Amino acid sequence: QVQLVESGGGLVQAGGSLRLSCAASGRTFSRSVMGWFRQAPGKEREFVAAISWSGGNTYYADSVKGRFTISRDNAKNTVYLQMNSLKPEDTAVYYCAARPVYTIATTERLYDYWGQGTQVTVSS
């Protein structure tokens, strides 16, 4: 069982930066692929980024590649999403998710545990 709590969301101007954190409880964090997803108003939830157990492998949606960076600290049971050069279209609720297997996935149904989400709003 993994419990996830996101933090770090807020209001930022276009071009600005935010860093989201996701604190996990449970023994399986270090053996879980971690992912970030987001859901904008009126839209379906979409994949943003994922990171392997060790942090050695990462994967990004094309829309955030080059602007967002996912990382993890297994000693702190925490995964991060550094978001730079933010755009108004990045406005969404951002969710952290855990997948307690080895293989990275971009499909939300393959993630077993979810946080409650944190709101990110980017003003133009």
Side-chain angles (χ1 to χ4, degrees):
Q1 187 79 10
V2 177
Q3 293 182 328
L4 306 171
V5 178
E6 302 97 334
S7 61
L11 173 64
V12 64
Q13 288 189 331
S17 298
L18 281 174
R19 188 175 82 154
L20 305 183
S21 298
C22 173
S25 62
R27 295 182 177 181
T28 59
F29 174 80
S30 63
R31 290 292 184 264
S32 294
V33 166
M34 299 299 297
W36 286 97
F37 291 76
R38 67 186 182 186
Q39 187 168 20
K43 295 187 177 182
E44 294 186 351
R45 189 153 56 184
E46 63 176 3
F47 169 78
V48 175
I51 189 166
S52 62
W53 292 1
S54 67
N57 292 313
T58 57
Y59 193 82
Y60 297 93
D62 287 343
S63 59
V64 306
K65 202 172 294 183
R67 300 188 298 123
F68 290 11
T69 302
I70 188 171
S71 61
R72 66 191 296 164
D73 185 338
N74 285 344
K76 296 182 178 180
N77 276 15
T78 302
V79 62
Y80 305 97
L81 186 68
Q82 178 68 44
M83 305 185 295
N84 298 329
S85 303
L86 282 162
K87 304 175 181 179
E89 52 262 44
D90 294 318
T91 295
V93 177
Y94 283 71
Y95 297 90
C96 173
R99 173 173 158 78
V101 296
Y102 181 76
T103 308
I104 284 183
T106 62
T107 305
E108 66 172 286
R109 64 177 176 82
L110 296 179
Y111 285 78
D112 297 295
Y113 305 103
W114 292 83
Q116 83 289 351
T118 185
Q119 176 71 46
V120 171
T121 303
V122 184
S123 63
S124 57

